[in-house]
Amino acid sequence: MTFQTTPRPTLRTLTALVALACLSLQATAQGQATASTLGEVVVSGSRHEQMADELPLSYDVIDASTLGNQQSRTLREALQDLPNASVKRSPARFTVGGTTASAGRDGNVGVNIRGLGGNRVLLMVDGVRMPRSYAFRTTTFDREYLSLELLKRIEMVRGPASALYGSDGMAGLVNFITHEPADFLVGQDGGPPKTLGGRIAAGWSGDDNGHTLAGTVAGQASDTLQWMLTATTRSAHAVDNMGSNDEPNTSRTRPNPQDDRDNAVLGKIVLRPHAGQRHVATLEHVEKKSDVNLLSSRTPLPLRGTPAQTAGAILDEYSARSMERDRLAWDARFDLGAPWADHAQTVIAVQRAASRQVGTSVRNTLPLRVRDNAYGEHTWQAGLQADKTLRGGGWAHKITYGLDHVRSDITNLYTGLAPLPPEVFPLKRFPDTRETTSALYVQDESVQGDWSLTPGLRFDHFALDVTSQAGFYPPAKQPGQSLSGSALSPKVGVLYRATPQWSVFGQYAAGFRAPDAGQVNGYYENAAEQVIIIPNPELKPEKSRGFEVGVRGRLERLSLDVAAFSSHYSNLIMDTVLIRGTGTAADPRIFQTINTERARISGFEVKGQYDWGRMAGGRLATPFSYGQARGVNRATGKPINSVDPAQLALGLKYDTAAWGLRLDMRHHAAKTARDIDSASSVKPPNTQFTIPSATTLDVSVQWRLRKDMRLNLAVHNLTNRKYWLWPDVYGLAASSPTNDAYTQPGRSAHVSLVMDF
């Protein structure tokens, strides 16, 4: 992780701006009707269903219709209009024997929220934790074990969320909520529910020549039993870019030849034995495979250089990747009406995730080089939660409390041909490890009149226990060590309903992230480069403290959310820091993962929609969002590189009964040298590649051919603009002649057809 120093808005200034906006708009809101749309219900902000506008924090909800209408195929596309949020997506440009770079190897490693991402953001599917990303030296395994076709909605909570969800929620959380049978059994025109229903969807995307097919069938077996089965498949090639060099060597800037295949299956059974009980059994399987011909790593011909360089010249190189995730879960909810709880919920889930990456290098005269790397997580998760509503003295209290237990067995294996001395295949970069977390939490939502106060507290105890040294010691010079610790995560939120149309909120919340097995015990030794990476069993959890204030307006025509935030981070874990050594046989360079950094990130966000009313038989609306953040590494005074440049999204939607038209303009601000800590992203004397600002335009049309059928057509990057996005280029040197390989796709067409039955 790397970090930044530029002038930043202070929290006091932003708080004053928010308060001023609330007071000035309050006067104009008197007498106006409230928003005509129904409020959203979310679960991620409080661990139970709640009106989203009653939360004293910032949230985002993306529903299935938005995902479908915008033809989102990846997590990045789904979140592209959210302020201060991004997803990294780099092209498959790497070498089988090279060191993992911060750009170009790690794919969709996760979501960045307000300047921090990766494993610092908790990802969940239906409340079940997704696997972490894992990176060590030559390999990175990402986190997108997802199929968007399975999702009903995406919920994002911004800022520290550990008070409710524990480790990894230090920067925020994203909860992916899948469809249920009832979503496909709604009766037409308000009629009775259907006994059999479903959906078929097919799509094509021009920027990667991708073909998607998805089908869902759901049924009502009896008054108490519903079922659903969804299956999706997708095949595609490499995502296009604006590079022009098609040479099959290291000067190449066009995408490498690539074949991707994604498949997913989701099955659910919903049982309601009586009105006070609900049981949901879920089975999910997601698999992704990718084969890449790494033309970009071939040595240019004719071969030149020293005899050693000529002997090791790469004549051909290719890579195969696969990842799978299986989830079996039981979610039960009970209406108790007992003195200790009104309702209770139990969740038991088992999840298996496995990733594998096989790379092969054909070298000029040296032996064939193969790297076969695997990473796996097998997780059990159990939770018990209850809530009780109490009233008295003009106050109403909803107390939510519970316990969580998560156990993950984590393993890795490196094997192949032609290892670098002194390593001998097969080996493990860290020993087999069991990570466990047990937690107790409580939250009190107290309401009196126009005020809501929501304090919460969670206690976590975590342990990282080595279960086997086999394959790790030897070759490591010391056995893996176990580690344990605890964390207390408080929060308190306040919401004031100034008028029926306007409310003001604020929150303080703490978060943490425990170190993972690779960071504690990762070991690597390369005699040729005189490099050694040593373990650090003394690592401490990373911690965050977040402050946020905001205002919400829900008027007849205008929906508006404004928030200002400041987050402070300590004990940040820096991977593979050089701690000593000059790189000779007598004094090798020693690297270690350490707690070293303190950081502060501040910024603000504006989002909403203005409804212009009916025009020419249709309805016109303008959605908008803007986010800006600044960060500083408080240990060095340098900027935080993981903070994205500001982004403005502005749309225009026109809807009639038969068709709809949408224009989306996105302006990405530049990332200039003053906003970058160059020395922490590339090796001096190189400097980090900077990116100019860019404005793009997308246009889409939806035809409702029948009540049960709709055709979506879209053109992305209508002006064929050449541009880069900052998350993709972080770690690229400005002097590199191949930076065009990291440009975004040019103009491309997309089409999908959806039919309900």
Side-chain angles (χ1 to χ4, degrees):
M1 142 169 226
T2 56
F3 292 134
Q4 140 180 315
T5 152
T6 52
R8 60 179 184 85
T10 64
L11 179 62
R12 181 179 299 173
T13 301
L14 292 170
T15 304
L17 290 173
V18 171
L20 180 61
C22 179
L23 291 174
S24 61
L25 289 171
Q26 175 179 335
T28 65
Q30 301 299 327
Q32 292 191 30
T34 58
S36 59
T37 57
L38 294 176
E40 291 175 305
V41 176
V42 298
V43 297
S44 304
S46 58
R47 293 193 67 133
H48 60 78
E49 291 188 351
Q50 183 176 6
M51 298 299 296
D53 286 346
E54 295 297 309
L55 293 171
L57 49 82
S58 291
Y59 68 90
D60 295 281
V61 178
I62 304 173
D63 58 27
S65 63
T66 301
L67 293 172
N69 294 344
Q70 295 187 346
Q71 302 188 59
S72 301
R73 300 155 301 158
T74 65
L75 182 55
R76 178 183 205 151
E77 293 177 348
L79 306 184
Q80 64 183 341
D81 289 332
L82 302 186
N84 290 325
S86 65
V87 177
K88 181 185 181 74
R89 183 182 67 192
S90 296
R93 289 180 61 92
F94 53 88
T95 60
V96 169
T99 302
T100 298
S102 59
R105 187 88 191 220
D106 32 10
N108 290 297
V109 296
V111 181
N112 182 304
I113 299 177
R114 293 178 173 175
L116 286 185
N119 293 328
R120 296 180 173 99
V121 173
L122 176 62
L123 301 185
M124 302 183 294
V125 179
D126 295 333
V128 177
R129 290 168 175 263
M130 292 186 65
R132 293 174 174 174
S133 65
Y134 166 70
F136 195 87
R137 189 65 181 175
T138 60
T139 305
T140 298
F141 295 114
D142 62 50
R143 305 184 73 184
E144 198 169 354
Y145 298 82
L146 286 169
S147 173
L148 297 190
E149 298 291 339
L150 307 181
L151 301 183
K152 178 179 181 178
R153 68 180 186 274
I154 301 173
E155 297 182 358
M156 176 188 290
V157 173
R158 299 166 180 268
S162 293
L164 287 177
Y165 294 97
S167 181
D168 298 353
M170 64 178 293
L173 71 90
V174 183
N175 192 7
F176 304 96
I177 299 173
T178 59
H179 281 290
E180 292 201 352
D183 299 328
F184 302 95
L185 299 176
V186 178
Q188 292 186 355
D189 300 324
K194 295 182 287 188
T195 58
L196 186 69
R199 177 176 298 164
I200 298 175
W204 174 80
S205 51
D207 56 1
D208 61 0
N209 194 24
H211 298 78
T212 302
L213 180 64
T216 298
V217 59
Q220 179 91 32
S222 67
D223 292 340
T224 61
L225 182 65
Q226 294 179 336
W227 58 272
M228 182 192 75
L229 181 65
T230 298
T232 76
T233 184
R234 187 172 194 273
S235 62
H237 300 286
V239 177
D240 201 6
N241 64 22
M242 300 287 279
S244 58
N245 190 326
D246 208 27
E247 292 294 320
N249 56 47
T250 53
S251 66
R252 182 183 184 87
T253 59
R254 294 290 299 148
N256 286 317
Q258 181 172 334
D259 290 310
D260 296 334
R261 299 167 305 282
D262 303 344
N263 299 293
V265 176
L266 175 69
K268 282 193 177 183
I269 295 176
V270 179
L271 176 65
R272 296 178 180 269
H274 54 76
Q277 280 191 38
R278 183 175 184 270
H279 302 263
V280 181
T282 303
L283 176 63
E284 181 187 16
H285 171 77
V286 177
E287 63 181 31
K288 295 174 177 278
K289 296 181 180 180
S290 180
D291 294 314
V292 185
N293 186 355
L294 294 169
L295 300 180
S296 60
S297 63
R298 291 182 181 179
T299 304
L301 299 175
L303 300 180
R304 296 184 176 91
T306 66
Q309 291 172 332
T310 302
I314 297 175
L315 303 183
D316 194 12
E317 202 163 61
Y318 45 93
S319 173
R321 290 183 166 196
S322 64
M323 56 193 307
E324 295 184 358
R325 179 175 62 87
D326 297 295
R327 173 173 65 103
L328 178 62
W330 170 62
D331 184 329
R333 308 188 182 200
F334 307 89
D335 293 340
L336 300 178
W340 58 277
D342 297 325
H343 312 92
Q345 178 182 2
T346 60
V347 176
I348 298 176
V350 58
Q351 183 171 257
R352 182 193 67 85
S355 295
R356 186 182 181 190
Q357 176 180 306
V358 181
T360 303
S361 298
V362 178
R363 297 180 289 181
N364 186 28
T365 60
L366 294 181
L368 187 71
R369 177 172 57 195
V370 177
R371 296 291 183 266
D372 187 346
N373 307 326
Y375 173 78
E377 289 189 20
H378 191 176
T379 301
W380 285 89
Q381 179 173 329
L384 174 61
Q385 177 176 306
D387 64 76
K388 182 67 179 179
T389 299
L390 303 174
R391 293 180 173 85
W395 285 86
H397 301 265
K398 184 169 186 177
I399 302 172
T400 303
Y401 58 97
L403 57 89
D404 286 334
H405 180 77
V406 181
R407 188 192 79 183
S408 298
D409 293 299
I410 302 172
T411 185
N412 72 106
L413 180 66
Y414 280 47
T415 187
L417 299 175
L420 292 174
E423 294 185 336
V424 178
F425 289 149
L427 60 84
K428 295 182 177 181
R429 295 294 183 207
F430 60 86
D432 292 346
T433 304
R434 176 169 296 161
E435 295 183 1
T436 57
T437 299
S438 299
L440 297 171
Y441 60 89
V442 62
Q443 175 181 271
D444 178 19
E445 300 170 55
S446 302
V447 179
Q448 184 180 47
D450 294 326
W451 290 88
S452 293
L453 179 68
T454 310
L457 185 66
R458 178 176 171 121
F459 175 78
D460 285 84
H461 181 270
F462 62 88
L464 188 151
D465 297 308
V466 173
T467 57
S468 173
Q469 304 281 357
F472 179 71
Y473 180 68
K477 293 183 178 179
Q478 67 182 47
Q481 303 293 309
S482 298
L483 175 149
S484 64
S486 59
L488 196 64
S489 303
K491 76 162 190 174
V492 60
V494 179
L495 178 74
Y496 172 59
R497 304 166 191 84
T499 73
Q501 297 81 28
W502 292 95
S503 61
V504 182
F505 66 88
Q507 178 177 255
Y508 163 81
F512 82 99
R513 182 179 77 97
D516 61 44
Q519 292 173 326
V520 172
N521 286 317
Y523 184 87
Y524 172 83
E525 186 172 354
N526 184 335
E529 298 179 2
Q530 304 302 331
V531 168
I532 300 175
I533 300 176
I534 63 175
N536 186 359
E538 304 299 323
L539 282 175
K540 298 178 176 61
E542 300 178 308
K543 296 182 179 180
S544 64
R545 294 176 294 115
F547 302 86
E548 179 180 25
V549 293
V551 58
R552 293 191 185 108
R554 300 294 182 260
L555 311 181
E556 182 179 9
R557 294 275 179 98
L558 176 67
S559 173
L560 178 67
D561 291 78
V562 181
F565 63 89
S566 181
S567 297
H568 301 257
Y569 305 94
S570 60
N571 286 340
L572 286 172
I573 296 175
M574 281 287 290
D575 291 319
T576 58
V577 175
L578 178 63
I579 59 175
R580 64 179 182 271
T582 58
T584 65
D587 187 25
R589 288 180 296 165
I590 306 297
F591 294 82
Q592 190 179 42
T593 297
I594 60 176
N595 293 104
T596 182
E597 293 190 342
R598 296 175 295 114
R600 179 182 61 238
I601 301 176
S602 302
F604 66 93
E605 297 149 359
V606 180
K607 60 186 178 182
Q609 178 171 289
Y610 187 81
D611 184 354
W612 299 91
R614 298 196 63 82
M615 295 184 182
R619 197 168 194 92
L620 185 67
T622 299
F624 56 87
S625 69
Y626 179 79
Q628 178 179 315
R630 292 288 185 269
V632 61
N633 183 332
R634 300 180 67 185
T636 65
K638 297 293 185 180
I640 298 179
N641 289 337
S642 57
V643 175
D644 293 319
Q647 175 180 310
L648 169 68
L650 188 63
L652 194 63
K653 299 192 303 182
Y654 184 74
D655 274 306
T656 71
W659 58 276
L661 173 68
R662 176 161 180 157
L663 300 175
D664 286 290
M665 184 275 290
R666 299 179 184 92
H667 176 76
H668 307 274
K671 189 75 169 181
T672 60
R674 70 174 186 173
D675 296 328
I676 301 171
D677 181 5
S678 186
S680 67
S681 60
V682 296
K683 285 185 178 181
N686 293 315
T687 58
Q688 166 67 43
F689 176 58
T690 60
I691 61 171
S693 63
T695 301
T696 63
L697 182 65
D698 294 352
V699 58
S700 60
V701 180
Q702 181 181 91
W703 278 282
R704 292 138 197 152
L705 305 176
R706 303 185 325 213
K707 285 186 177 181
D708 58 355
M709 182 182 296
R710 51 201 177 274
L711 176 67
N712 299 291
L713 300 175
V715 178
H716 293 174
N717 195 2
L718 185 64
T719 60
N720 206 35
R721 178 65 185 269
K722 180 179 178 178
Y723 69 106
W724 294 261
L725 293 180
W726 173 247
D728 300 350
V729 304
Y730 165 53
L732 296 181
S735 59
S736 172
T738 60
N739 287 338
D740 279 359
Y742 296 85
T743 52
Q744 297 303 298
R747 185 186 300 112
S748 61
H750 303 258
V751 60
S752 67
L753 180 66
V754 181
M755 184 179 70
D756 297 313
F757 62 87

